Amino acid sequence: MKRLPRPDGRVRIVPSLLAADFADIRGDLKPLMRAGFDWASIDVMDGHFVPNLSFGPDLVSALKHNGTGKVRLDAHLMVEKPEVYGPVFAAAGADWVVFHVEACRSPRPLIKKLRSLGCGVGVAVKPKTPVKALEPLLAEIDLALVMTVEPGFGGQGFIREMLPKISSLRAAIARNRLKTWLQVDGGVNAETAPLAAGAGADALVAGSAVFGKKNPVSAAKAISRAAQNAFSKSNFFNGTARRAVKAPDAD
Ligand code: DX5
């Protein structure tokens, strides 16, 4: 079983490779990793679950094994058959495989299968899917993903109506004393990150707000500072560590 980072009160900014330079993803990733942003998200799209096509498992293998050092990768499967492709991405080396509850009639066998392959497991909900589809699974997964855009494309606007869903999941995680990442994805930038983190998200996927900027590292640091400030103020992390959690990448 991989030793994966666990929620520790420090908000993670997770660069989305969908917005990276496809001709030089490794080159785009390296400076971010050197700055401490060592968890990236790979948006996998099959042209059926979402009207777009993107990456396959070979990208995961290439990034895990050719010179990006210890990058952690979550494979966000926006695919119709996660029970088929989940194990493929786990075998390719993904640290977490995140599948959509809307694409999987029986999530528990798939969660079990992915765990048996040694990777972390996440479940995602689209904007129109209520959190009650995900809450019963919280104790069995490592990561819950609330989409804050309609999945399929980067560069969309953050849907603020998702904030109550984030808060509801954060309350369920706290109520059950779970160590589950609460990830959001879509339209995250320096302005919307504090909203998401203030509602309880501690892993923020950001594509265009990072790779679309002249200096992606500074952009990611600015988002990280804004998010950490909001998350800490809301005092969500009420575990044993009450110390002020310093963002690792703050200047
Ligand atoms: C949607 C994708 C995007 C991407 C991030 O299916 O999942 O949300 O990762 O895109 P930005 O950060 O550009 O909205």
Tab-separated table of all heavy atoms in Angstrom, residues 2 4-5 12-18 29 38-45 54-56 59-60 63-64 70-78 86 89-90 92-100 119-124 142-145 147 181-185 202-206:
chain	number	residue	atom	x	y	z
A	2	LYS	N	0.650	2.162	-0.910
A	2	LYS	CA	1.464	3.382	-0.949
A	2	LYS	C	1.305	4.173	0.348
A	2	LYS	O	0.226	4.209	0.933
A	2	LYS	CB	0.963	4.277	-2.093
A	2	LYS	CG	1.241	3.732	-3.492
A	2	LYS	CD	0.589	4.642	-4.539
A	2	LYS	CE	0.723	4.057	-5.909
A	2	LYS	NZ	1.984	4.344	-6.555
A	4	LEU	N	0.694	7.486	1.490
A	4	LEU	CA	0.226	8.737	0.878
A	4	LEU	C	0.130	9.847	1.925
A	4	LEU	O	-0.091	9.583	3.095
A	4	LEU	CB	-1.148	8.506	0.250
A	4	LEU	CG	-1.159	7.540	-0.952
A	4	LEU	CD1	-2.582	7.264	-1.390
A	4	LEU	CD2	-0.336	8.120	-2.093
A	5	PRO	N	0.290	11.119	1.488
A	5	PRO	CA	0.085	12.217	2.426
A	5	PRO	C	-1.353	12.184	2.947
A	5	PRO	O	-2.283	11.853	2.213
A	5	PRO	CB	0.336	13.471	1.579
A	5	PRO	CG	0.343	13.044	0.168
A	5	PRO	CD	0.621	11.585	0.131
A	12	ARG	N	-3.453	21.830	0.286
A	12	ARG	CA	-2.597	21.527	-0.853
A	12	ARG	C	-3.161	22.173	-2.110
A	12	ARG	O	-4.367	22.074	-2.371
A	12	ARG	CB	-2.513	20.024	-1.081
A	12	ARG	CG	-1.904	19.177	0.002
A	12	ARG	CD	-0.644	19.687	0.633
A	12	ARG	NE	0.090	18.656	1.342
A	12	ARG	CZ	-0.093	18.294	2.596
A	12	ARG	NH1	-1.060	18.893	3.282
A	12	ARG	NH2	0.608	17.354	3.165
A	13	ILE	N	-2.289	22.830	-2.878
A	13	ILE	CA	-2.666	23.291	-4.211
A	13	ILE	C	-2.174	22.220	-5.176
A	13	ILE	O	-0.982	21.869	-5.168
A	13	ILE	CB	-2.016	24.657	-4.555
A	13	ILE	CG1	-2.344	25.693	-3.465
A	13	ILE	CG2	-2.488	25.133	-5.935
A	13	ILE	CD1	-3.814	25.869	-3.152
A	14	VAL	N	-3.099	21.676	-5.963
A	14	VAL	CA	-2.805	20.510	-6.816
A	14	VAL	C	-2.872	20.954	-8.282
A	14	VAL	O	-3.970	21.103	-8.837
A	14	VAL	CB	-3.823	19.378	-6.546
A	14	VAL	CG1	-3.519	18.142	-7.390
A	14	VAL	CG2	-3.856	19.016	-5.051
A	15	PRO	N	-1.721	21.232	-8.906
A	15	PRO	CA	-1.756	21.689	-10.300
A	15	PRO	C	-2.433	20.651	-11.205
A	15	PRO	O	-2.184	19.449	-11.072
A	15	PRO	CB	-0.281	21.850	-10.657
A	15	PRO	CG	0.429	22.003	-9.343
A	15	PRO	CD	-0.347	21.166	-8.379
A	16	SER	N	-3.299	21.128	-12.084
A	16	SER	CA	-3.995	20.237	-13.025
A	16	SER	C	-3.232	20.232	-14.349
A	16	SER	O	-3.099	21.268	-15.008
A	16	SER	CB	-5.417	20.724	-13.279
A	16	SER	OG	-5.908	20.083	-14.454
A	17	LEU	N	-2.789	19.051	-14.753
A	17	LEU	CA	-1.968	18.934	-15.973
A	17	LEU	C	-2.771	19.228	-17.230
A	17	LEU	O	-2.209	19.431	-18.303
A	17	LEU	CB	-1.320	17.550	-16.041
A	17	LEU	CG	-0.409	17.206	-14.863
A	17	LEU	CD1	0.321	15.888	-15.118
A	17	LEU	CD2	0.588	18.321	-14.582
A	18	LEU	N	-4.093	19.323	-17.083
A	18	LEU	CA	-4.917	19.638	-18.266
A	18	LEU	C	-4.523	21.014	-18.817
A	18	LEU	O	-4.713	21.304	-19.992
A	18	LEU	CB	-6.391	19.635	-17.873
A	18	LEU	CG	-7.396	19.672	-19.005
A	18	LEU	CD1	-7.378	18.357	-19.787
A	18	LEU	CD2	-8.806	19.945	-18.488
A	29	LEU	N	6.159	20.777	-14.748
A	29	LEU	CA	5.978	20.283	-13.374
A	29	LEU	C	7.181	20.572	-12.474
A	29	LEU	O	7.028	20.885	-11.291
A	29	LEU	CB	5.766	18.759	-13.395
A	29	LEU	CG	4.363	18.227	-13.207
A	29	LEU	CD1	4.379	16.714	-13.201
A	29	LEU	CD2	3.745	18.753	-11.914
A	38	ASP	N	4.032	19.121	-4.922
A	38	ASP	CA	4.487	17.816	-5.457
A	38	ASP	C	3.334	16.837	-5.649
A	38	ASP	O	3.539	15.636	-5.710
A	38	ASP	CB	5.528	17.214	-4.517
A	38	ASP	CG	4.981	17.084	-3.094
A	38	ASP	OD1	3.803	17.464	-2.879
A	38	ASP	OD2	5.732	16.618	-2.227
A	39	TRP	N	2.105	17.379	-5.710
A	39	TRP	CA	0.917	16.555	-5.992
A	39	TRP	C	0.223	17.213	-7.181
A	39	TRP	O	-0.105	18.403	-7.128
A	39	TRP	CB	0.034	16.518	-4.743
A	39	TRP	CG	-1.330	15.925	-4.882
A	39	TRP	CD1	-1.886	15.329	-5.982
A	39	TRP	CD2	-2.325	15.848	-3.845
A	39	TRP	NE1	-3.177	14.912	-5.714
A	39	TRP	CE2	-3.468	15.201	-4.403
A	39	TRP	CE3	-2.390	16.245	-2.521
A	39	TRP	CZ2	-4.633	14.981	-3.666
A	39	TRP	CZ3	-3.537	16.018	-1.768
A	39	TRP	CH2	-4.634	15.388	-2.350
A	40	ALA	N	0.076	16.442	-8.266
A	40	ALA	CA	-0.578	16.979	-9.461
A	40	ALA	C	-1.768	16.104	-9.818
A	40	ALA	O	-1.835	14.926	-9.437
A	40	ALA	CB	0.408	17.028	-10.644
A	41	SER	N	-2.711	16.688	-10.557
A	41	SER	CA	-3.919	15.960	-10.931
A	41	SER	C	-3.923	15.742	-12.442
A	41	SER	O	-3.626	16.668	-13.208
A	41	SER	CB	-5.160	16.763	-10.522
A	41	SER	OG	-6.336	16.032	-10.833
A	42	ILE	N	-4.232	14.512	-12.820
A	42	ILE	CA	-4.314	14.185	-14.248
A	42	ILE	C	-5.783	13.952	-14.602
A	42	ILE	O	-6.392	12.993	-14.116
A	42	ILE	CB	-3.484	12.930	-14.572
A	42	ILE	CG1	-1.993	13.203	-14.317
A	42	ILE	CG2	-3.713	12.480	-16.009
A	42	ILE	CD1	-1.056	12.108	-14.761
A	43	ASP	N	-6.338	14.834	-15.420
A	43	ASP	CA	-7.746	14.706	-15.819
A	43	ASP	C	-7.857	13.713	-16.962
A	43	ASP	O	-7.384	13.994	-18.067
A	43	ASP	CB	-8.272	16.063	-16.279
A	43	ASP	CG	-8.504	16.985	-15.102
A	43	ASP	OD1	-9.125	16.541	-14.127
A	43	ASP	OD2	-8.031	18.128	-15.138
A	44	VAL	N	-8.469	12.579	-16.706
A	44	VAL	CA	-8.609	11.538	-17.730
A	44	VAL	C	-10.020	11.625	-18.306
A	44	VAL	O	-11.002	11.547	-17.567
A	44	VAL	CB	-8.386	10.137	-17.116
A	44	VAL	CG1	-8.547	9.047	-18.174
A	44	VAL	CG2	-6.996	10.062	-16.466
A	45	MET	N	-10.113	11.850	-19.606
A	45	MET	CA	-11.422	12.055	-20.232
A	45	MET	C	-11.572	11.083	-21.405
A	45	MET	O	-10.653	10.957	-22.226
A	45	MET	CB	-11.530	13.496	-20.732
A	45	MET	CG	-11.355	14.506	-19.599
A	45	MET	SD	-11.413	16.200	-20.234
A	45	MET	CE	-11.138	17.101	-18.730
A	54	SER	N	-8.489	13.223	-23.293
A	54	SER	CA	-7.255	13.808	-22.740
A	54	SER	C	-6.143	12.753	-22.623
A	54	SER	O	-5.582	12.331	-23.615
A	54	SER	CB	-7.545	14.453	-21.381
A	54	SER	OG	-8.004	13.454	-20.473
A	55	PHE	N	-5.867	12.315	-21.400
A	55	PHE	CA	-4.653	11.516	-21.182
A	55	PHE	C	-4.943	10.030	-20.960
A	55	PHE	O	-6.029	9.676	-20.518
A	55	PHE	CB	-3.933	12.030	-19.923
A	55	PHE	CG	-3.679	13.515	-19.919
A	55	PHE	CD1	-4.348	14.344	-19.026
A	55	PHE	CD2	-2.784	14.083	-20.814
A	55	PHE	CE1	-4.124	15.721	-19.013
A	55	PHE	CE2	-2.551	15.455	-20.798
A	55	PHE	CZ	-3.219	16.274	-19.904
A	56	GLY	N	-3.916	9.189	-21.212
A	56	GLY	CA	-4.012	7.749	-20.927
A	56	GLY	C	-3.046	7.357	-19.820
A	56	GLY	O	-2.281	8.188	-19.318
A	59	LEU	N	0.873	8.264	-19.603
A	59	LEU	CA	1.383	9.537	-19.068
A	59	LEU	C	1.714	9.366	-17.582
A	59	LEU	O	2.749	9.849	-17.098
A	59	LEU	CB	0.362	10.665	-19.250
A	59	LEU	CG	0.786	12.000	-18.617
A	59	LEU	CD1	2.033	12.552	-19.305
A	59	LEU	CD2	-0.342	13.016	-18.658
A	60	VAL	N	0.884	8.641	-16.859
A	60	VAL	CA	1.151	8.400	-15.429
A	60	VAL	C	2.483	7.656	-15.285
A	60	VAL	O	3.366	8.070	-14.529
A	60	VAL	CB	0.010	7.584	-14.790
A	60	VAL	CG1	0.371	7.154	-13.370
A	60	VAL	CG2	-1.286	8.388	-14.794
A	63	LEU	N	5.481	9.963	-16.102
A	63	LEU	CA	5.778	10.985	-15.087
A	63	LEU	C	6.281	10.352	-13.789
A	63	LEU	O	7.136	10.911	-13.104
A	63	LEU	CB	4.531	11.829	-14.810
A	63	LEU	CG	4.108	12.769	-15.934
A	63	LEU	CD1	2.780	13.423	-15.610
A	63	LEU	CD2	5.177	13.821	-16.215
A	64	LYS	N	5.781	9.154	-13.486
A	64	LYS	CA	6.201	8.516	-12.227
A	64	LYS	C	7.611	7.954	-12.355
A	64	LYS	O	8.342	7.860	-11.381
A	64	LYS	CB	5.245	7.387	-11.842
A	64	LYS	CG	3.898	7.813	-11.369
A	64	LYS	CD	3.943	8.647	-10.096
A	64	LYS	CE	4.144	7.807	-8.847
A	64	LYS	NZ	4.050	8.624	-7.615
A	70	LYS	N	9.559	12.592	-7.137
A	70	LYS	CA	8.525	11.983	-6.295
A	70	LYS	C	7.163	12.612	-6.517
A	70	LYS	O	6.429	12.843	-5.567
A	70	LYS	CB	8.944	12.179	-4.822
A	70	LYS	CG	10.269	11.504	-4.479
A	70	LYS	CD	10.056	10.146	-3.820
A	70	LYS	CE	11.323	9.336	-3.646
A	70	LYS	NZ	11.873	8.864	-4.956
A	71	VAL	N	6.838	12.944	-7.752
A	71	VAL	CA	5.528	13.581	-7.931
A	71	VAL	C	4.425	12.614	-7.518
A	71	VAL	O	4.498	11.405	-7.781
A	71	VAL	CB	5.327	14.015	-9.415
A	71	VAL	CG1	5.284	12.836	-10.366
A	71	VAL	CG2	4.085	14.879	-9.565
A	72	ARG	N	3.459	13.120	-6.792
A	72	ARG	CA	2.260	12.345	-6.450
A	72	ARG	C	1.202	12.674	-7.513
A	72	ARG	O	1.023	13.857	-7.835
A	72	ARG	CB	1.700	12.782	-5.089
A	72	ARG	CG	2.627	12.491	-3.932
A	72	ARG	CD	2.520	11.088	-3.537
A	72	ARG	NE	3.267	10.825	-2.286
A	72	ARG	CZ	3.569	9.599	-1.925
A	72	ARG	NH1	3.227	8.571	-2.671
A	72	ARG	NH2	4.232	9.384	-0.806
A	73	LEU	N	0.560	11.657	-8.028
A	73	LEU	CA	-0.429	11.901	-9.077
A	73	LEU	C	-1.787	11.339	-8.699
A	73	LEU	O	-1.888	10.172	-8.312
A	73	LEU	CB	0.043	11.230	-10.379
A	73	LEU	CG	1.330	11.779	-10.999
A	73	LEU	CD1	1.763	10.895	-12.169
A	73	LEU	CD2	1.159	13.214	-11.462
A	74	ASP	N	-2.823	12.182	-8.805
A	74	ASP	CA	-4.166	11.602	-8.717
A	74	ASP	C	-4.727	11.552	-10.134
A	74	ASP	O	-4.604	12.518	-10.886
A	74	ASP	CB	-5.068	12.373	-7.726
A	74	ASP	CG	-5.588	13.707	-8.207
A	74	ASP	OD1	-6.227	13.769	-9.285
A	74	ASP	OD2	-5.374	14.720	-7.524
A	75	ALA	N	-5.249	10.396	-10.490
A	75	ALA	CA	-5.860	10.223	-11.819
A	75	ALA	C	-7.365	10.419	-11.634
A	75	ALA	O	-8.044	9.603	-11.017
A	75	ALA	CB	-5.564	8.828	-12.372
A	76	HIS	N	-7.849	11.562	-12.123
A	76	HIS	CA	-9.273	11.913	-11.993
A	76	HIS	C	-9.984	11.354	-13.217
A	76	HIS	O	-9.891	11.917	-14.305
A	76	HIS	CB	-9.390	13.440	-11.903
A	76	HIS	CG	-10.799	13.937	-11.954
A	76	HIS	ND1	-11.102	15.249	-12.231
A	76	HIS	CD2	-11.991	13.315	-11.784
A	76	HIS	CE1	-12.415	15.410	-12.232
A	76	HIS	NE2	-12.986	14.245	-11.958
A	77	LEU	N	-10.684	10.235	-13.036
A	77	LEU	CA	-11.284	9.523	-14.166
A	77	LEU	C	-12.660	10.089	-14.492
A	77	LEU	O	-13.636	9.809	-13.802
A	77	LEU	CB	-11.390	8.029	-13.856
A	77	LEU	CG	-10.111	7.293	-13.454
A	77	LEU	CD1	-10.378	5.786	-13.367
A	77	LEU	CD2	-8.976	7.584	-14.420
A	78	MET	N	-12.710	10.862	-15.567
A	78	MET	CA	-13.996	11.329	-16.070
A	78	MET	C	-14.336	10.412	-17.245
A	78	MET	O	-14.221	10.768	-18.426
A	78	MET	CB	-13.893	12.800	-16.509
A	78	MET	CG	-13.770	13.725	-15.307
A	78	MET	SD	-13.222	15.378	-15.707
A	78	MET	CE	-11.457	15.128	-15.626
A	86	GLY	N	-9.995	2.178	-13.871
A	86	GLY	CA	-9.407	2.436	-12.547
A	86	GLY	C	-8.207	1.553	-12.288
A	86	GLY	O	-7.096	2.064	-12.031
A	89	PHE	N	-5.117	2.528	-14.354
A	89	PHE	CA	-4.347	3.685	-13.870
A	89	PHE	C	-3.636	3.372	-12.557
A	89	PHE	O	-2.549	3.879	-12.293
A	89	PHE	CB	-5.256	4.914	-13.758
A	89	PHE	CG	-5.440	5.622	-15.075
A	89	PHE	CD1	-6.404	5.209	-15.977
A	89	PHE	CD2	-4.590	6.666	-15.438
A	89	PHE	CE1	-6.546	5.828	-17.220
A	89	PHE	CE2	-4.720	7.299	-16.671
A	89	PHE	CZ	-5.699	6.879	-17.560
A	90	ALA	N	-4.231	2.496	-11.767
A	90	ALA	CA	-3.544	2.082	-10.527
A	90	ALA	C	-2.262	1.332	-10.895
A	90	ALA	O	-1.181	1.608	-10.377
A	90	ALA	CB	-4.468	1.192	-9.698
A	92	ALA	N	-0.606	1.647	-13.536
A	92	ALA	CA	0.354	2.564	-14.191
A	92	ALA	C	1.132	3.386	-13.172
A	92	ALA	O	2.117	4.052	-13.502
A	92	ALA	CB	-0.392	3.496	-15.143
A	93	GLY	N	0.654	3.353	-11.891
A	93	GLY	CA	1.407	4.048	-10.846
A	93	GLY	C	0.705	5.225	-10.214
A	93	GLY	O	1.301	5.950	-9.415
A	94	ALA	N	-0.571	5.456	-10.548
A	94	ALA	CA	-1.295	6.580	-9.927
A	94	ALA	C	-1.302	6.414	-8.409
A	94	ALA	O	-1.481	5.305	-7.894
A	94	ALA	CB	-2.735	6.637	-10.460
A	95	ASP	N	-1.101	7.528	-7.707
A	95	ASP	CA	-1.124	7.454	-6.238
A	95	ASP	C	-2.549	7.390	-5.706
A	95	ASP	O	-2.824	6.730	-4.714
A	95	ASP	CB	-0.397	8.679	-5.657
A	95	ASP	CG	1.085	8.633	-6.003
A	95	ASP	OD1	1.819	7.898	-5.324
A	95	ASP	OD2	1.493	9.289	-6.986
A	96	TRP	N	-3.448	8.112	-6.360
A	96	TRP	CA	-4.871	7.986	-6.072
A	96	TRP	C	-5.592	7.773	-7.411
A	96	TRP	O	-5.185	8.387	-8.431
A	96	TRP	CB	-5.451	9.280	-5.478
A	96	TRP	CG	-4.956	9.733	-4.157
A	96	TRP	CD1	-5.484	9.437	-2.916
A	96	TRP	CD2	-3.836	10.624	-3.910
A	96	TRP	NE1	-4.772	10.091	-1.936
A	96	TRP	CE2	-3.757	10.809	-2.512
A	96	TRP	CE3	-2.910	11.252	-4.744
A	96	TRP	CZ2	-2.794	11.613	-1.930
A	96	TRP	CZ3	-1.933	12.050	-4.172
A	96	TRP	CH2	-1.872	12.237	-2.778
A	97	VAL	N	-6.615	6.954	-7.417
A	97	VAL	CA	-7.527	6.877	-8.557
A	97	VAL	C	-8.865	7.430	-8.070
A	97	VAL	O	-9.402	6.981	-7.042
A	97	VAL	CB	-7.693	5.430	-9.064
A	97	VAL	CG1	-8.840	5.339	-10.072
A	97	VAL	CG2	-6.391	4.929	-9.708
A	98	VAL	N	-9.336	8.469	-8.755
A	98	VAL	CA	-10.577	9.154	-8.348
A	98	VAL	C	-11.614	8.903	-9.442
A	98	VAL	O	-11.378	9.240	-10.603
A	98	VAL	CB	-10.336	10.674	-8.198
A	98	VAL	CG1	-11.598	11.375	-7.690
A	98	VAL	CG2	-9.152	10.952	-7.269
A	99	PHE	N	-12.737	8.284	-9.057
A	99	PHE	CA	-13.748	8.012	-10.080
A	99	PHE	C	-15.046	8.726	-9.725
A	99	PHE	O	-15.264	9.110	-8.564
A	99	PHE	CB	-13.973	6.505	-10.264
A	99	PHE	CG	-14.503	5.776	-9.048
A	99	PHE	CD1	-15.880	5.610	-8.859
A	99	PHE	CD2	-13.640	5.231	-8.106
A	99	PHE	CE1	-16.372	4.946	-7.749
A	99	PHE	CE2	-14.129	4.554	-6.980
A	99	PHE	CZ	-15.497	4.410	-6.807
A	100	HIS	N	-15.907	8.878	-10.705
A	100	HIS	CA	-17.176	9.590	-10.498
A	100	HIS	C	-18.281	8.633	-10.036
A	100	HIS	O	-18.472	7.571	-10.644
A	100	HIS	CB	-17.591	10.321	-11.782
A	100	HIS	CG	-17.023	11.701	-11.860
A	100	HIS	ND1	-17.709	12.820	-11.467
A	100	HIS	CD2	-15.786	12.119	-12.223
A	100	HIS	CE1	-16.928	13.890	-11.597
A	100	HIS	NE2	-15.754	13.491	-12.047
A	119	CYS	N	-3.406	1.458	-4.251
A	119	CYS	CA	-3.421	2.927	-4.457
A	119	CYS	C	-4.516	3.562	-3.612
A	119	CYS	O	-5.399	2.883	-3.095
A	119	CYS	CB	-3.606	3.260	-5.927
A	119	CYS	SG	-5.254	3.022	-6.538
A	120	GLY	N	-4.393	4.880	-3.468
A	120	GLY	CA	-5.411	5.638	-2.756
A	120	GLY	C	-6.667	5.707	-3.608
A	120	GLY	O	-6.593	5.555	-4.839
A	121	VAL	N	-7.821	5.927	-2.964
A	121	VAL	CA	-9.096	5.912	-3.680
A	121	VAL	C	-9.876	7.195	-3.409
A	121	VAL	O	-9.956	7.652	-2.258
A	121	VAL	CB	-9.968	4.719	-3.240
A	121	VAL	CG1	-11.225	4.648	-4.103
A	121	VAL	CG2	-9.189	3.415	-3.338
A	122	GLY	N	-10.399	7.774	-4.488
A	122	GLY	CA	-11.242	8.969	-4.341
A	122	GLY	C	-12.526	8.791	-5.120
A	122	GLY	O	-12.581	8.028	-6.096
A	123	VAL	N	-13.567	9.479	-4.669
A	123	VAL	CA	-14.841	9.479	-5.391
A	123	VAL	C	-15.241	10.935	-5.634
A	123	VAL	O	-15.067	11.787	-4.756
A	123	VAL	CB	-15.947	8.750	-4.601
A	123	VAL	CG1	-17.289	8.841	-5.333
A	123	VAL	CG2	-15.572	7.277	-4.397
A	124	ALA	N	-15.734	11.204	-6.841
A	124	ALA	CA	-16.060	12.582	-7.258
A	124	ALA	C	-17.550	12.718	-7.543
A	124	ALA	O	-18.211	11.748	-7.935
A	124	ALA	CB	-15.270	12.935	-8.522
A	142	ASP	N	-10.145	7.791	0.520
A	142	ASP	CA	-9.098	8.696	1.005
A	142	ASP	C	-9.363	10.136	0.570
A	142	ASP	O	-8.722	11.062	1.067
A	142	ASP	CB	-7.739	8.270	0.403
A	142	ASP	CG	-7.450	6.808	0.691
A	142	ASP	OD1	-7.224	6.495	1.868
A	142	ASP	OD2	-7.517	5.988	-0.245
A	143	LEU	N	-10.257	10.309	-0.408
A	143	LEU	CA	-10.430	11.639	-1.002
A	143	LEU	C	-11.839	11.764	-1.569
A	143	LEU	O	-12.328	10.841	-2.239
A	143	LEU	CB	-9.385	11.790	-2.132
A	143	LEU	CG	-9.282	13.098	-2.895
A	143	LEU	CD1	-7.842	13.339	-3.356
A	143	LEU	CD2	-10.213	13.161	-4.080
A	144	ALA	N	-12.466	12.884	-1.253
A	144	ALA	CA	-13.795	13.194	-1.826
A	144	ALA	C	-13.613	14.429	-2.699
A	144	ALA	O	-13.014	15.423	-2.244
A	144	ALA	CB	-14.799	13.473	-0.712
A	145	LEU	N	-14.076	14.352	-3.944
A	145	LEU	CA	-13.863	15.462	-4.882
A	145	LEU	C	-15.192	16.106	-5.246
A	145	LEU	O	-16.105	15.433	-5.774
A	145	LEU	CB	-13.160	14.956	-6.155
A	145	LEU	CG	-13.133	15.877	-7.374
A	145	LEU	CD1	-12.509	17.235	-7.050
A	145	LEU	CD2	-12.359	15.213	-8.517
A	147	MET	N	-16.733	18.655	-7.729
A	147	MET	CA	-16.459	19.420	-8.948
A	147	MET	C	-17.129	20.788	-8.828
A	147	MET	O	-18.326	20.874	-8.525
A	147	MET	CB	-16.997	18.681	-10.170
A	147	MET	CG	-16.214	17.429	-10.544
A	147	MET	SD	-14.468	17.742	-10.826
A	147	MET	CE	-14.537	18.703	-12.332
A	181	TRP	N	-9.291	13.511	2.403
A	181	TRP	CA	-9.055	14.788	1.711
A	181	TRP	C	-10.382	15.277	1.146
A	181	TRP	O	-11.167	14.494	0.613
A	181	TRP	CB	-8.066	14.598	0.560
A	181	TRP	CG	-6.645	14.375	0.963
A	181	TRP	CD1	-5.954	13.192	0.931
A	181	TRP	CD2	-5.725	15.351	1.451
A	181	TRP	NE1	-4.667	13.378	1.366
A	181	TRP	CE2	-4.495	14.707	1.701
A	181	TRP	CE3	-5.807	16.721	1.706
A	181	TRP	CZ2	-3.371	15.369	2.181
A	181	TRP	CZ3	-4.688	17.394	2.181
A	181	TRP	CH2	-3.483	16.727	2.423
A	182	LEU	N	-10.584	16.592	1.255
A	182	LEU	CA	-11.763	17.199	0.614
A	182	LEU	C	-11.239	18.089	-0.526
A	182	LEU	O	-10.692	19.174	-0.300
A	182	LEU	CB	-12.576	18.004	1.628
A	182	LEU	CG	-13.832	18.711	1.147
A	182	LEU	CD1	-14.624	17.887	0.154
A	182	LEU	CD2	-14.724	19.089	2.320
A	183	GLN	N	-11.334	17.556	-1.732
A	183	GLN	CA	-10.724	18.191	-2.903
A	183	GLN	C	-11.795	18.904	-3.729
A	183	GLN	O	-12.931	18.404	-3.844
A	183	GLN	CB	-10.038	17.119	-3.770
A	183	GLN	CG	-9.165	17.659	-4.899
A	183	GLN	CD	-8.547	16.574	-5.745
A	183	GLN	OE1	-9.253	15.761	-6.348
A	183	GLN	NE2	-7.218	16.518	-5.786
A	184	VAL	N	-11.455	20.049	-4.286
A	184	VAL	CA	-12.339	20.711	-5.247
A	184	VAL	C	-11.560	20.930	-6.530
A	184	VAL	O	-10.320	21.022	-6.519
A	184	VAL	CB	-12.918	22.046	-4.732
A	184	VAL	CG1	-13.726	21.870	-3.467
A	184	VAL	CG2	-11.852	23.102	-4.568
A	185	ASP	N	-12.300	21.008	-7.637
A	185	ASP	CA	-11.646	21.076	-8.940
A	185	ASP	C	-12.526	21.866	-9.896
A	185	ASP	O	-13.670	21.505	-10.147
A	185	ASP	CB	-11.448	19.638	-9.457
A	185	ASP	CG	-10.882	19.598	-10.854
A	185	ASP	OD1	-10.644	20.669	-11.458
A	185	ASP	OD2	-10.676	18.489	-11.367
A	202	ASP	N	-9.489	21.086	1.500
A	202	ASP	CA	-8.059	21.164	1.845
A	202	ASP	C	-7.167	20.648	0.724
A	202	ASP	O	-5.952	20.497	0.905
A	202	ASP	CB	-7.755	20.437	3.163
A	202	ASP	CG	-8.192	18.970	3.159
A	202	ASP	OD1	-8.763	18.507	2.140
A	202	ASP	OD2	-7.939	18.290	4.167
A	203	ALA	N	-7.755	20.413	-0.459
A	203	ALA	CA	-6.948	20.073	-1.643
A	203	ALA	C	-7.618	20.767	-2.820
A	203	ALA	O	-8.776	20.473	-3.143
A	203	ALA	CB	-6.888	18.561	-1.864
A	204	LEU	N	-6.911	21.726	-3.416
A	204	LEU	CA	-7.528	22.567	-4.452
A	204	LEU	C	-6.817	22.324	-5.779
A	204	LEU	O	-5.623	22.637	-5.908
A	204	LEU	CB	-7.413	24.046	-4.064
A	204	LEU	CG	-7.898	24.459	-2.665
A	204	LEU	CD1	-7.736	25.969	-2.489
A	204	LEU	CD2	-9.322	24.050	-2.426
A	205	VAL	N	-7.556	21.767	-6.737
A	205	VAL	CA	-6.980	21.533	-8.065
A	205	VAL	C	-7.060	22.836	-8.850
A	205	VAL	O	-8.130	23.448	-8.934
A	205	VAL	CB	-7.761	20.421	-8.801
A	205	VAL	CG1	-7.231	20.256	-10.220
A	205	VAL	CG2	-7.674	19.103	-8.026
A	206	ALA	N	-5.926	23.256	-9.407
A	206	ALA	CA	-5.917	24.509	-10.169
A	206	ALA	C	-5.130	24.301	-11.461
A	206	ALA	O	-3.986	23.853	-11.443
A	206	ALA	CB	-5.286	25.628	-9.348
